Amino acid sequence: MSGTPPITGGCLCGAVRFEIDTAPIATRACWCRLCQYLGAGSGTVNAIFPSAAFRVTGETKAHVATADSGTVMRRHFCPECGSQVHGFADTRPHLVTVRVGSLDDPEVGAPQSTIWTAAAPTWASIDEALPKLAGQPAPPPPPA
């Protein structure tokens, strides 16, 4: 995204803000069971960026849990309003996952695929036009 404004976003109350200097590596709608909890019954939509391009201001707190994939995740949220903002996987420190709902322009994070469809409830609304994976895809590789 060289020469274009950074991607920006933050939490509901504005106490946490972030900027990202590059386009997403991937965007995914996720129906794993943990994302269903985070999404209050629906899945979540997440954009993956290089962590080196991500800058956050304001205090966040992290909830640490093991994802369905077996990866330890550190999901950051605003301690004031509770909004989920971003997360890191211990096994992929070179990547940050940003909740698309926290982007100022959510059009930046249009999903490219749907993952963990095997965990989705029968009534889940899954875009049939997107590629679907029953579980976790391989992560994007570290930068060279």
Side-chain angles (χ1 to χ4, degrees):
M1 286 187 52
S2 179
T4 61
I7 296 170
T8 58
C11 68
L12 177 64
C13 73
V16 176
R17 295 292 301 160
F18 60 81
E19 288 189 353
I20 308 163
D21 292 332
T22 189
I25 296 167
T27 56
R28 301 170 177 153
C30 181
W31 280 94
C32 77
R33 190 63 186 113
L34 290 179
C35 279
Q36 291 176 51
Y37 282 110
L38 293 171
S42 66
T44 63
V45 181
N46 307 289
I48 302 167
F49 297 92
S51 56
F54 180 77
R55 293 176 309 283
V56 65
T57 56
E59 177 190 359
T60 64
K61 294 221 175 187
H63 178 262
V64 180
T66 301
D68 288 348
S69 65
T71 301
V72 174
M73 298 292 300
R74 298 174 190 285
R75 294 178 178 90
H76 290 256
F77 61 94
C78 173
E80 192 62 34
C81 67
S83 297
Q84 291 282 324
V85 181
H86 65 279
F88 298 95
D90 281 3
T91 57
R92 299 181 294 278
H94 63 287
L95 301 174
V96 60
T97 302
V98 175
R99 302 282 182 227
V100 169
S102 70
L103 297 173
D104 290 337
D105 180 5
E107 292 297 327
V108 171
Q112 300 164 328
S113 64
T114 303
I115 63 174
W116 285 98
T117 58
T122 58
W123 50 261
S125 180
I126 296 175
D127 187 342
E128 291 300 321
L130 296 177
K132 291 174 272 317
L133 293 161
Q136 182 70 30

